[in-house]
Amino acid sequence: MAIREILLVPNPQLKQVSEPVERVDDDTRALMDDMLETMYDAPGIGLAAIQVGVPLRIIVMDLAGKDEEPKPQYFINPEILEDVEELLPWEEGCLSVPDYYEEVERPGRVKIRYLDYHGKQITEWAEDLYAVCIQHEMDHLNGVLFIDHLSRLKRQRAIRKVQKAARDKALEAAE
Ligand code: GNR
Ligand code: NI
């Protein structure tokens, strides 16, 4: 297992549409293991493969609370089959847009279908944070970030903030 580098906005790779996984094999699982380790290290509650530069339709997630046992979840080629009209506002963040948080509204319940770590097909309803997170991650698979749901002004502000932090960090490292 290895921790990989997380791509930050405005990296154009984050706008790529990711490709379906053709078969779930040991290479797929090795990538998912790396993604999970990278997500825990960050730390975050979800991660899409494109965030580590791999344009495949793969997501990892762990929504367990601080005092709970870890509960890693793996999603390959996920699809939304159904959603509800009722929107749920949630303050979102993204490891590719560090230290920026803003409210986004998404359907509060979604029926999803995906392949798990072993390539087994699962169909289930996700709600609350699970619904928010899977929709945030599935957006990544289509090259969409949560800031794309905000006004242009807020989006520009978020990107500038990340760019400034990266500049400051580079300057600090050069001292
Ligand atoms: O760690 C994360 N937290 C989070 C909080 C609210 C809504 C979505 C998320 S996902 C994010 C990790 C990430 O960037 N996944 O793509
Ligand atoms: Ni994200």
Side-chain angles (χ1 to χ4, degrees):
M1 293 230 283
I3 292 169
R4 303 203 188 188
E5 193 188 328
I6 297 177
L7 306 182
L8 304 182
V9 284
N11 189 313
Q13 282 180 263
L14 292 168
K15 298 207 162 187
Q16 258 183 270
V17 177
S18 293
E19 294 290 337
V21 172
E22 302 230 334
R23 56 184 292 262
V24 180
D25 57 18
D26 287 346
D27 288 344
T28 319
R29 283 184 281 271
L31 169 62
M32 294 193 290
D33 292 345
D34 280 3
M35 286 171 60
L36 196 75
E37 193 180 352
T38 303
M39 183 193 82
Y40 284 145
D41 176 70
I45 58 172
L47 191 74
I50 194 60
Q51 292 181 277
V52 293
V54 179
L56 288 173
R57 302 185 83 79
I58 299 175
I59 290 162
V60 297
M61 195 184 294
D62 191 331
L63 302 178
K66 269 193 172 181
D67 309 319
E68 292 169 1
E69 284 283 296
K71 192 175 171 249
Q73 287 182 272
Y74 307 86
F75 305 84
I76 301 161
N77 301 343
E79 297 168 83
I80 291 179
L81 303 177
E82 233 182 292
D83 60 19
V84 296
E85 244 175 73
E86 185 196 0
L87 297 178
L88 177 66
W90 205 285
E91 178 128 303
E92 299 197 14
C94 182
L95 294 173
S96 296
V97 193
D99 301 316
Y100 184 83
Y101 305 89
E102 196 65 69
E103 192 172 281
V104 176
E105 287 192 324
R106 304 179 189 269
R109 269 169 64 77
V110 290
K111 189 180 183 181
I112 55 173
R113 183 166 69 198
Y114 60 93
L115 303 178
D116 71 5
Y117 194 80
H118 304 287
K120 186 178 140 200
Q121 185 179 283
I122 312 279
T123 304
E124 67 192 8
W125 279 93
E127 57 183 29
D128 300 323
L129 178 59
Y130 185 16
V132 170
C133 196
I134 195 70
Q135 290 174 90
H136 172 116
E137 302 309 337
M138 287 180 67
D139 267 356
H140 278 299
L141 305 186
N142 295 322
V144 175
L145 298 171
F146 85 99
I147 56 172
D148 295 323
H149 294 283
L150 308 177
S151 67
R152 196 170 59 185
L153 179 66
K154 284 184 176 173
R155 184 161 55 251
Q156 285 307 332
R157 240 186 235 153
I159 294 168
R160 294 239 169 80
K161 182 176 181 184
V162 175
Q163 286 180 306
K164 180 175 190 305
R167 264 198 315 274
D168 291 350
K169 196 177 156 205
L171 281 172
E172 212 171 285
E175 257 173 30

